[in-house]
Amino acid sequence: MNNTPDKTLIIMVGLPFSGKSTKALETGYPIVSPEGVRLAIHGRNYCAEAEGLVWTFARYMVHSLFNAGHDNVVLDGCHTKLRRRQQWESPKWRRQFYVMTTTVEECAQRAEVIKDEILRSNIQESIARMELEYEPVSREEGEIIICDYADYEA
């Protein structure tokens, strides 16, 4: 008897501006975007006080899409830390990780398109910090699909 769930949660992994959202769109599957949830809740890219609510909504959205009959759902976020990825373990689905290989330099360069200097600086600092703190996905976490950064624009 096969106990593998028939639902797949595709978890995007990579730095900001690495092309995760572009790749997520290319799958054709429904996407849960914590960034989109943030903008819907408070209209900003980030607000520390609202992060718990953002991730609670994201979890309900994933469950809702699977309950609606979708076999594959994409979770579009950075997920560069093991603890963030572990939050998405569930007996209801298997996890598949799309890992972006975009270099920190390329991500920082792509962030240059942000017109607001303060926001651009904050994101570039986040890119550098996240790269230093990055915890690679292991095979024990789920299937890993490597996505070459040259194929995707942010």
Side-chain angles (χ1 to χ4, degrees), residues 30-91:
I31 300 169
V32 174
S33 168
E35 184 68 24
V37 173
R38 287 182 190 102
L39 294 173
I41 292 172
H42 51 68
R44 296 185 294 186
N45 293 61
Y46 181 79
C47 174
E49 297 81 16
E51 280 301 287
L53 186 60
V54 167
W55 290 101
T56 297
F57 282 167
R59 179 162 293 283
Y60 280 115
M61 291 172 71
V62 166
H63 281 277
S64 175
L65 288 165
F66 283 136
N67 289 340
H70 295 282
D71 291 328
N72 301 289
V73 174
V74 179
L75 181 60
D76 184 15
C78 294
H79 303 101
T80 57
K81 302 278 254 175
L82 175 61
R83 67 177 158 71
R84 177 64 72 197
R85 298 188 300 267
Q86 286 174 329
Q87 294 173 355
W88 294 98
E89 290 177 354
S90 173

Coordinates of all heavy atoms in Angstrom, one line a residue, residues 30-91:
P30 N -1.9 27.0 -8.9 CA -2.3 28.1 -8.1 C -1.2 28.4 -7.1 O -0.4 27.6 -6.7 CB -3.5 27.6 -7.3 CG -3.6 26.1 -7.6 CD -2.8 25.8 -8.7
I31 N -1.0 29.7 -6.9 CA 0.1 30.3 -6.1 C -0.4 30.9 -4.8 O -1.3 31.7 -4.9 CB 0.9 31.3 -6.9 CG1 1.5 30.6 -8.2 CG2 2.0 31.9 -6.1 CD1 2.1 31.6 -9.2
V32 N 0.2 30.6 -3.7 CA 0.0 31.3 -2.5 C 1.3 32.2 -2.3 O 2.4 31.7 -2.2 CB -0.2 30.3 -1.3 CG1 -0.2 31.1 0.0 CG2 -1.4 29.5 -1.5
S33 N 1.0 33.5 -2.2 CA 2.1 34.4 -2.1 C 2.0 35.2 -0.8 O 1.2 36.1 -0.7 CB 2.0 35.4 -3.3 OG 2.9 36.5 -3.1
P34 N 2.9 34.9 0.2 CA 2.9 35.7 1.4 C 3.1 37.2 1.1 O 2.5 38.1 1.8 CB 4.1 35.2 2.2 CG 4.2 33.8 1.7 CD 3.9 33.8 0.2
E35 N 3.8 37.6 0.0 CA 4.0 39.0 -0.4 C 2.6 39.6 -0.7 O 2.3 40.7 -0.4 CB 5.0 39.1 -1.6 CG 5.2 40.5 -2.0 CD 6.0 41.3 -1.0 OE1 6.8 40.7 -0.1 OE2 5.9 42.5 -1.0
G36 N 1.8 38.8 -1.5 CA 0.5 39.2 -1.8 C -0.4 39.4 -0.6 O -1.2 40.3 -0.5
V37 N -0.2 38.5 0.3 CA -1.0 38.6 1.6 C -0.6 39.8 2.3 O -1.5 40.6 2.8 CB -0.8 37.3 2.5 CG1 -1.5 37.5 3.8 CG2 -1.3 36.1 1.8
R38 N 0.7 40.1 2.4 CA 1.1 41.3 3.1 C 0.5 42.6 2.5 O 0.0 43.5 3.2 CB 2.7 41.5 3.0 CG 3.4 40.5 3.9 CD 4.9 40.7 3.8 NE 5.6 39.6 4.4 CZ 6.2 38.6 3.8 NH1 6.2 38.5 2.5 NH2 6.7 37.6 4.5
L39 N 0.5 42.6 1.1 CA 0.0 43.8 0.5 C -1.5 43.9 0.7 O -2.1 45.0 0.8 CB 0.3 43.8 -1.0 CG 1.8 43.9 -1.4 CD1 2.0 43.7 -2.9 CD2 2.3 45.3 -0.9
A40 N -2.2 42.8 0.8 CA -3.7 42.8 1.0 C -4.0 43.2 2.4 O -5.0 43.9 2.7 CB -4.3 41.4 0.7
I41 N -3.2 42.8 3.4 CA -3.4 43.1 4.8 C -3.1 44.6 5.1 O -3.9 45.3 5.7 CB -2.6 42.2 5.8 CG1 -3.2 40.8 5.6 CG2 -2.7 42.7 7.2 CD1 -2.3 39.7 6.4
H42 N -1.9 45.0 4.8 CA -1.4 46.3 5.3 C -0.8 47.2 4.2 O -0.4 48.3 4.4 CB -0.5 46.2 6.5 CG 0.7 45.3 6.3 ND1 1.7 45.5 5.4 CD2 0.9 44.1 6.9 CE1 2.5 44.5 5.4 NE2 2.1 43.6 6.3
G43 N -0.7 46.7 2.9 CA -0.3 47.5 1.8 C 1.2 47.7 1.8 O 1.6 48.6 1.0
R44 N 2.0 47.0 2.5 CA 3.4 47.2 2.5 C 4.1 45.9 2.3 O 3.6 44.8 2.4 CB 3.9 47.8 3.9 CG 3.3 49.2 4.1 CD 3.9 49.7 5.4 NE 3.4 48.9 6.6 CZ 3.7 49.3 7.8 NH1 4.3 50.3 8.1 NH2 3.2 48.5 8.8
N45 N 5.4 46.0 1.9 CA 6.2 44.8 1.7 C 6.5 44.0 2.9 O 6.7 42.8 2.9 CB 7.6 45.1 1.0 CG 7.4 45.7 -0.4 OD1 6.7 46.7 -0.6 ND2 7.9 45.0 -1.4
Y46 N 6.5 44.7 4.1 CA 6.8 44.0 5.3 C 6.4 44.9 6.5 O 6.5 46.1 6.5 CB 8.3 43.8 5.4 CG 8.7 43.1 6.7 CD1 8.6 41.7 6.8 CD2 9.3 43.8 7.8 CE1 8.9 41.0 8.0 CE2 9.6 43.1 8.9 CZ 9.5 41.7 9.0 OH 9.8 41.1 10.2
C47 N 5.8 44.2 7.5 CA 5.4 44.9 8.7 C 5.6 43.8 9.8 O 4.8 42.8 9.8 CB 4.0 45.4 8.7 SG 3.4 46.1 10.2
A48 N 6.6 43.9 10.6 CA 6.9 42.8 11.6 C 5.7 42.4 12.4 O 5.5 41.2 12.7 CB 8.1 43.3 12.5
E49 N 4.9 43.4 12.8 CA 3.8 43.1 13.7 C 2.7 42.2 13.0 O 1.9 41.5 13.7 CB 3.1 44.4 14.2 CG 4.0 45.2 15.0 CD 4.9 46.1 14.2 OE1 4.7 46.3 13.0 OE2 5.9 46.6 14.8
A50 N 2.7 42.2 11.7 CA 1.7 41.4 11.0 C 2.1 40.1 10.5 O 1.4 39.3 9.9 CB 1.2 42.3 9.8
E51 N 3.4 39.7 10.6 CA 3.9 38.5 10.0 C 3.2 37.2 10.5 O 3.0 36.3 9.7 CB 5.4 38.4 10.3 CG 6.3 39.2 9.3 CD 6.0 38.9 7.9 OE1 6.5 37.8 7.4 OE2 5.4 39.7 7.2
G52 N 2.9 37.1 11.8 CA 2.1 36.0 12.2 C 0.8 35.8 11.5 O 0.5 34.7 11.0
L53 N 0.1 36.9 11.3 CA -1.1 36.9 10.5 C -0.9 36.5 9.1 O -1.7 35.7 8.5 CB -1.8 38.2 10.6 CG -3.2 38.4 10.1 CD1 -4.2 37.4 10.7 CD2 -3.7 39.8 10.2
V54 N 0.1 37.0 8.5 CA 0.5 36.7 7.1 C 0.6 35.2 6.9 O 0.1 34.6 6.0 CB 1.8 37.5 6.6 CG1 2.3 36.9 5.3 CG2 1.5 39.0 6.5
W55 N 1.4 34.6 7.7 CA 1.7 33.2 7.6 C 0.5 32.3 8.0 O 0.3 31.2 7.4 CB 3.0 32.8 8.3 CG 4.2 33.4 7.6 CD1 4.8 34.5 8.0 CD2 4.7 32.9 6.4 NE1 5.8 34.8 7.1 CE2 5.8 33.8 6.1 CE3 4.5 31.9 5.6 CZ2 6.6 33.7 4.9 CZ3 5.3 31.7 4.4 CH2 6.3 32.6 4.1
T56 N -0.3 32.8 8.9 CA -1.6 32.1 9.2 C -2.5 32.1 7.9 O -3.1 31.0 7.6 CB -2.3 32.7 10.4 OG1 -1.5 32.6 11.5 CG2 -3.6 32.0 10.7
F57 N -2.7 33.2 7.3 CA -3.5 33.3 6.1 C -2.9 32.4 5.0 O -3.6 31.7 4.3 CB -3.6 34.8 5.6 CG -4.5 35.6 6.3 CD1 -4.5 37.0 6.2 CD2 -5.5 35.1 7.2 CE1 -5.4 37.8 6.8 CE2 -6.4 35.9 7.9 CZ -6.4 37.3 7.7
A58 N -1.6 32.4 4.8 CA -0.9 31.6 3.8 C -1.2 30.1 4.0 O -1.6 29.4 3.1 CB 0.6 31.9 3.8
R59 N -1.2 29.7 5.3 CA -1.5 28.3 5.6 C -2.9 28.0 5.2 O -3.2 26.9 4.6 CB -1.2 28.0 7.1 CG -1.5 26.6 7.5 CD -0.9 26.1 8.7 NE 0.5 26.0 8.7 CZ 1.2 25.1 8.1 NH1 0.6 24.1 7.5 NH2 2.5 25.0 8.1
Y60 N -3.9 28.8 5.6 CA -5.3 28.6 5.3 C -5.5 28.6 3.8 O -6.3 27.8 3.2 CB -6.2 29.6 5.9 CG -6.5 29.3 7.4 CD1 -6.0 30.2 8.4 CD2 -7.2 28.2 7.7 CE1 -6.3 29.9 9.7 CE2 -7.5 27.9 9.1 CZ -7.0 28.7 10.1 OH -7.3 28.4 11.4
M61 N -4.8 29.4 3.1 CA -4.9 29.5 1.6 C -4.4 28.2 1.0 O -5.0 27.6 0.1 CB -4.1 30.7 1.0 CG -4.7 32.0 1.4 SD -3.7 33.4 0.9 CE -3.8 33.4 -0.9
V62 N -3.3 27.6 1.5 CA -2.8 26.4 1.0 C -3.8 25.3 1.2 O -4.2 24.5 0.3 CB -1.4 26.0 1.6 CG1 -1.1 24.5 1.3 CG2 -0.3 26.9 1.1
H63 N -4.3 25.2 2.4 CA -5.3 24.2 2.7 C -6.6 24.3 1.9 O -7.1 23.4 1.3 CB -5.7 24.2 4.2 CG -4.7 23.6 5.1 ND1 -4.7 22.2 5.4 CD2 -3.7 24.1 5.9 CE1 -3.8 21.9 6.2 NE2 -3.1 23.0 6.5
S64 N -7.0 25.6 1.7 CA -8.2 25.9 0.9 C -8.0 25.4 -0.5 O -8.9 24.8 -1.1 CB -8.5 27.3 1.0 OG -9.6 27.7 0.1
L65 N -6.9 25.7 -1.1 CA -6.6 25.3 -2.5 C -6.6 23.8 -2.7 O -7.2 23.2 -3.6 CB -5.4 25.9 -3.1 CG -5.5 27.4 -3.3 CD1 -4.1 28.1 -3.4 CD2 -6.3 27.7 -4.5
F66 N -6.0 23.1 -1.7 CA -6.0 21.6 -1.8 C -7.5 21.1 -1.6 O -7.9 20.2 -2.3 CB -5.1 21.0 -0.8 CG -3.6 21.0 -1.1 CD1 -2.7 21.4 -0.2 CD2 -3.2 20.7 -2.4 CE1 -1.3 21.4 -0.6 CE2 -1.9 20.7 -2.8 CZ -0.9 21.1 -1.8
N67 N -8.2 21.7 -0.7 CA -9.6 21.3 -0.4 C -10.5 21.5 -1.6 O -11.5 20.8 -1.8 CB -10.1 22.0 0.8 CG -9.5 21.5 2.1 OD1 -8.9 20.4 2.2 ND2 -9.6 22.3 3.2
A68 N -10.1 22.5 -2.4 CA -10.9 22.8 -3.6 C -10.6 21.9 -4.8 O -11.2 22.0 -5.8 CB -10.6 24.3 -4.0
G69 N -9.7 21.0 -4.6 CA -9.4 19.9 -5.6 C -8.1 20.1 -6.3 O -7.8 19.3 -7.2
H70 N -7.3 21.1 -6.0 CA -6.0 21.2 -6.7 C -5.1 20.1 -6.2 O -5.0 19.9 -5.0 CB -5.4 22.6 -6.5 CG -6.3 23.7 -7.1 ND1 -6.2 23.9 -8.4 CD2 -7.2 24.5 -6.5 CE1 -7.1 24.9 -8.7 NE2 -7.6 25.3 -7.6
D71 N -4.3 19.5 -7.1 CA -3.3 18.5 -6.7 C -2.0 19.1 -6.4 O -1.2 18.5 -5.7 CB -3.2 17.4 -7.8 CG -4.4 16.6 -7.9 OD1 -5.1 16.3 -6.9 OD2 -4.7 16.1 -9.0
N72 N -1.7 20.3 -7.0 CA -0.5 21.0 -6.8 C -0.7 22.4 -6.5 O -1.5 23.1 -7.1 CB 0.4 20.9 -8.1 CG 0.6 19.5 -8.6 OD1 1.4 18.8 -8.0 ND2 0.0 19.1 -9.6
V73 N 0.0 22.9 -5.4 CA -0.1 24.3 -5.0 C 1.3 24.8 -4.8 O 2.2 24.1 -4.3 CB -0.9 24.4 -3.7 CG1 -0.8 25.9 -3.2 CG2 -2.3 24.0 -3.9
V74 N 1.6 26.0 -5.3 CA 2.9 26.6 -5.1 C 2.9 27.6 -4.0 O 2.0 28.5 -3.9 CB 3.3 27.4 -6.4 CG1 4.7 28.0 -6.3 CG2 3.3 26.4 -7.6
L75 N 3.9 27.6 -3.1 CA 4.1 28.5 -2.1 C 5.3 29.4 -2.4 O 6.4 28.9 -2.4 CB 4.3 27.8 -0.7 CG 4.5 28.7 0.5 CD1 3.3 29.6 0.7 CD2 4.8 27.8 1.7
D76 N 5.0 30.6 -2.8 CA 6.0 31.5 -3.3 C 6.6 32.4 -2.2 O 5.9 33.4 -1.8 CB 5.4 32.4 -4.4 CG 6.4 33.3 -5.1 OD1 7.7 33.0 -4.9 OD2 6.0 34.2 -5.8
G77 N 7.7 32.1 -1.7 CA 8.4 32.9 -0.7 C 9.9 32.5 -0.7 O 10.3 31.6 -1.5
C78 N 10.7 33.1 0.2 CA 12.1 32.8 0.2 C 12.5 31.4 0.8 O 13.3 30.7 0.2 CB 12.8 33.9 0.9 SG 12.7 35.5 0.1
H79 N 11.9 31.1 1.9 CA 12.2 29.8 2.6 C 13.6 29.4 2.6 O 14.0 28.2 2.3 CB 11.3 28.7 1.9 CG 9.9 29.0 1.9 ND1 9.2 29.5 0.8 CD2 8.9 29.0 2.8 CE1 8.0 29.8 1.0 NE2 7.8 29.4 2.3
T80 N 14.5 30.3 2.9 CA 15.9 30.0 3.0 C 16.4 29.4 4.3 O 17.5 29.0 4.4 CB 16.7 31.3 2.7 OG1 16.3 32.3 3.7 CG2 16.5 31.9 1.3
K81 N 15.5 29.4 5.3 CA 15.8 28.8 6.6 C 15.0 27.5 6.8 O 13.8 27.4 6.5 CB 15.4 29.8 7.7 CG 16.1 31.1 7.6 CD 17.5 31.0 8.1 CE 17.5 31.7 9.5 NZ 18.8 31.6 10.2
L82 N 15.7 26.5 7.4 CA 15.1 25.2 7.7 C 13.8 25.4 8.5 O 12.8 24.7 8.2 CB 16.1 24.3 8.4 CG 15.5 22.9 8.8 CD1 15.0 22.1 7.6 CD2 16.6 22.2 9.6
R83 N 13.8 26.2 9.5 CA 12.6 26.3 10.4 C 11.4 26.8 9.6 O 10.3 26.4 9.9 CB 12.9 27.2 11.6 CG 13.2 28.6 11.3 CD 13.4 29.5 12.6 NE 14.1 30.7 12.4 CZ 13.6 31.7 11.7 NH1 12.4 31.7 11.3 NH2 14.4 32.8 11.6
R84 N 11.6 27.7 8.6 CA 10.5 28.2 7.8 C 9.9 27.0 6.9 O 8.7 26.9 6.8 CB 10.9 29.3 6.9 CG 9.9 29.9 6.0 CD 8.7 30.5 6.6 NE 9.0 31.8 7.2 CZ 8.3 32.4 8.2 NH1 7.1 31.8 8.5 NH2 8.6 33.5 8.7
R85 N 10.8 26.2 6.4 CA 10.4 25.1 5.6 C 9.7 24.0 6.4 O 8.7 23.4 5.9 CB 11.5 24.5 4.8 CG 12.2 25.5 3.8 CD 13.2 24.9 2.9 NE 14.3 24.3 3.6 CZ 15.5 24.9 3.8 NH1 15.7 26.1 3.5 NH2 16.5 24.2 4.4
Q86 N 10.2 23.8 7.6 CA 9.6 22.7 8.5 C 8.1 23.1 8.8 O 7.4 22.1 9.1 CB 10.4 22.6 9.8 CG 11.7 21.9 9.6 CD 12.6 21.9 10.8 OE1 12.5 22.8 11.6 NE2 13.4 20.8 10.9
Q87 N 7.8 24.3 8.8 CA 6.4 24.7 9.1 C 5.4 24.2 8.1 O 4.2 24.2 8.4 CB 6.3 26.2 9.2 CG 7.1 26.8 10.4 CD 7.1 28.3 10.4 OE1 6.6 29.0 9.4 NE2 7.6 28.9 11.4
W88 N 5.9 23.7 7.0 CA 5.0 23.3 5.9 C 5.0 21.8 5.8 O 4.5 21.2 4.8 CB 5.4 24.0 4.6 CG 5.2 25.4 4.7 CD1 6.1 26.4 5.0 CD2 3.9 26.1 4.6 NE1 5.4 27.6 5.1 CE2 4.1 27.4 4.8 CE3 2.6 25.6 4.3 CZ2 3.1 28.3 4.8 CZ3 1.6 26.5 4.2 CH2 1.8 27.9 4.5
E89 N 5.5 21.1 6.8 CA 5.4 19.6 6.8 C 4.0 19.2 7.2 O 3.4 19.9 8.0 CB 6.4 19.0 7.9 CG 7.8 19.1 7.5 CD 8.7 18.6 8.6 OE1 8.2 18.2 9.7 OE2 9.9 18.5 8.4
S90 N 3.4 18.3 6.4 CA 2.1 17.8 6.7 C 1.9 16.4 6.1 O 2.4 16.1 5.0 CB 1.1 18.8 6.1 OG -0.3 18.3 6.2
P91 N 1.1 15.6 6.8 CA 0.8 14.3 6.2 C -0.2 14.4 5.0 O -0.5 13.5 4.3 CB 0.1 13.5 7.4 CG -0.4 14.6 8.3 CD 0.5 15.8 8.1

